[in-house]
Amino acid sequence: MATIGVTRGLGDHDLKVYNSNIHIKPFLSCCPEVQVYDVTQNQHSPDDVLVLGSDGLWDVTTDREVADAVSSFLSQFESSDPMRLVRISKETVAQIASSLTSIMYQCLL
């Protein structure tokens, strides 16, 4: 199998390209990109959300597309709805999955 599992890829410093002597480490970092955002330093409204996503999300969409989708869904739900953010996250994932399916279909054509 010529793939890198996340836990293996981040923990195996001697990992090599499948069937070769080429080390992957120069291309793979075990140091995460970290950004600190102090929520106490800013004013927030009920419509402010933080989107956490892995490369599975960011490989198929941009931060602007996600922000636009979330903003669109926010306007469709009442702010008093306790399940609003759960519904918005499901709708956003469904929209992105639909986009990915469309991209995959175009690649097959």
Side-chain angles (χ1 to χ4, degrees), residues 6 51-62 65-66 92-93 95-101 103-104:
V6 173
V51 177
L52 300 175
S54 68
D55 57 351
L57 172 66
W58 306 120
D59 285 348
V60 298
T61 189
T62 66
E65 290 170 325
V66 172
T92 303
V93 168
Q95 179 176 331
I96 291 165
S98 174
S99 297
L100 180 58
T101 301
I103 291 168
M104 290 171 60

Side-chain angles (χ1 to χ4, degrees), residues 12-85:
D12 190 346
H13 296 278
D14 294 324
L15 183 64
K16 295 180 182 176
V17 173
Y18 178 73
N19 223 6
S20 79
N21 229 3
I22 301 170
H23 285 271
I24 291 180
K25 183 59 183 165
F27 312 107
L28 181 68
S29 173
C30 61
C31 300
E33 179 182 327
V34 177
Q35 294 183 7
V36 177
Y37 179 83
D38 187 348
V39 296
T40 63
Q41 298 296 316
N42 298 285
Q43 294 283 335
H44 296 284
S45 76
D47 287 345
D48 287 337
V49 297
L50 174 64
V51 177
L52 300 175
S54 68
D55 57 351
L57 172 66
W58 306 120
D59 285 348
V60 298
T61 189
T62 66
D63 54 348
R64 174 70 350 213
E65 290 170 325
V66 172
D68 290 345
V70 170
S71 294
S72 170
F73 295 131
L74 277 170
S75 65
Q76 297 176 24
F77 297 97
E78 294 293 326
S79 59
S80 60
D81 181 355
M83 294 300 292
R84 175 173 84 135
L85 297 178

